[in-house]
Amino acid sequence: MAATRTPLMAGNWKMNLNHQEAVVLVQKLAWTLSDKKHDFAKVEVVVVPPFTDLRSVQTLVDGDRLSIRYGAQDVSVHESGAYTGEISAGMLAKLGCSYVVVGHSERREHHDESDETVSAKAHRALDAGMTPIVCVGEGLEIRQAGEQVAHCVAQVAGSLAGFSAEQVAGLVVAYEPVWAIGTGEVATPDDAQEVCAAVRAHVRETHGDAAADGVRVLYGGSVKAANVAGIMAETDVDGCLVGGASLQADEFGGICRFYDMPVL
Ligand SMILES: O=C(CO)COP(=O)(O)O
């Protein structure tokens, strides 16, 4: 983590919690963090609930003037029209979303999303004034062949196609090795650093220093309060994209306060 970039902890709830449960969890998280006098300028805290929860989260965040930000798990490549079941970037922006996750490995896998699709979604999000969290990551076979860096850099290259240096400087990339997602198999801090550094080096090559120094690169995959500090100690890791552990206020609160946690 570099001092010039604000660390970002984002909780991807995936397909968990209805809108009532969402309100309870965000309230608990807000209490937990306010109890500890969390400085949101020091570590940005984001929840990423299912679409159906967003309006309730917006109402709570606005009503209680919470500093927690929120985002969506996906967005349509289309602006509007006859696309049954799709949700547009404009709709999400209107709900006060700050972020949109695009290209999560579960969408790449179950919905066949290509880098081209991911790039189109990222453009939609950015055009609507939200920050895309662009996910990349390798499966186990690629990792075992030692090709994780080449694979992830290629995904970044494809997913960031057509973005200006200025735009890239404000983006978030999340490195999530597929073999570490929901498996309890966390990558080592060195594994995380290797790919996050390569992503930044690639951005430096293609978009220049300002983009490379600005873009935030997160790690995701079995992050918990107990292992977050070691991961965050790495120079090129600017935060975490958290799945399972973000469904518990105490646990996610601990992750947001990684600097209080012991380095394992
Ligand atoms: O996919 C993830 C976040 O987007 C990671 O999930 P877990 O933290 O449950 O491994």
Side-chain angles (χ1 to χ4, degrees):
M1 179 191 64
T4 48
R5 294 182 290 271
T6 306
L8 168 63
M9 293 302 174
N12 173 13
W13 296 0
K14 309 191 179 185
M15 198 171 71
N16 293 294
L17 309 184
N18 62 39
H19 71 285
Q20 289 166 329
E21 293 163 334
V23 168
V24 173
L25 178 55
V26 174
Q27 262 169 344
K28 273 194 193 161
L29 181 62
W31 289 329
T32 303
L33 292 171
S34 104
D35 232 26
K36 298 266 197 285
K37 308 219 174 338
H38 182 75
D39 181 354
F40 289 88
K42 199 167 152 197
V43 181
E44 198 180 336
V45 178
V46 171
V47 293
V48 186
F51 290 131
T52 49
D53 299 1
L54 288 170
R55 175 63 178 149
S56 305
V57 170
Q58 178 186 38
T59 304
L60 173 62
V61 166
D62 286 357
D64 288 5
R65 295 170 194 239
L66 303 182
S67 302
I68 295 170
R69 296 196 169 118
Y70 52 93
Q73 297 175 16
D74 186 31
V75 64
S76 176
V77 294
H78 304 290
E79 198 173 340
S80 65
Y83 300 102
T84 301
E86 297 279 285
I87 305 287
S88 77
M91 293 168 181
L92 297 174
K94 191 77 183 161
L95 283 165
C97 288
S98 302
Y99 291 91
V100 181
V101 173
V102 293
H104 191 279
S105 63
E106 287 150 18
R107 295 215 56 91
R108 289 180 186 263
E109 184 187 343
H110 303 303
H111 301 269
D112 251 347
E113 288 193 5
S114 63
D115 291 336
E116 200 181 10
T117 304
V118 175
S119 170
K121 290 183 172 192
H123 279 279
R124 284 288 177 212
L126 207 63
D127 289 350
M130 299 174 290
T131 301
I133 300 177
V134 179
C135 302
V136 300
E138 83 284 356
L140 189 56
E141 275 180 25
I142 293 172
R143 161 68 51 171
Q144 282 168 341
E147 286 162 7
Q148 62 274 12
V149 165
H151 176 86
C152 294
V153 165
Q155 280 188 328
V156 169
S159 305
L160 298 190
F163 284 100
S164 69
E166 225 176 25
Q167 288 174 321
V168 173
L171 288 188
V172 178
V173 173
Y175 166 54
E176 298 206 307
V178 179
W179 48 271
I181 294 178
T183 57
E185 185 92 26
V186 64
T188 65
D190 282 354
D191 291 338
Q193 168 63 17
E194 179 194 38
V195 177
C196 293
V199 166
R200 197 180 310 284
H202 169 78
V203 167
R204 196 173 301 283
E205 237 169 69
T206 53
H207 291 84
D209 286 343
D213 295 340
V215 64
R216 287 183 290 178
V217 186
L218 314 184
Y219 167 78
S222 299
V223 174
K224 298 183 175 48
N227 60 28
V228 68
I231 293 164
M232 289 303 292
E234 298 293 340
T235 329
D236 287 293
V237 179
D238 302 313
C240 296
L241 185 55
V242 184
S246 72
L247 298 173
Q248 289 158 9
D250 280 358
E251 186 69 18
F252 190 55
I255 290 170
C256 297
R257 304 184 54 73
F258 63 91
Y259 43 84
D260 283 344
M261 300 291 157
V263 176
L264 291 186

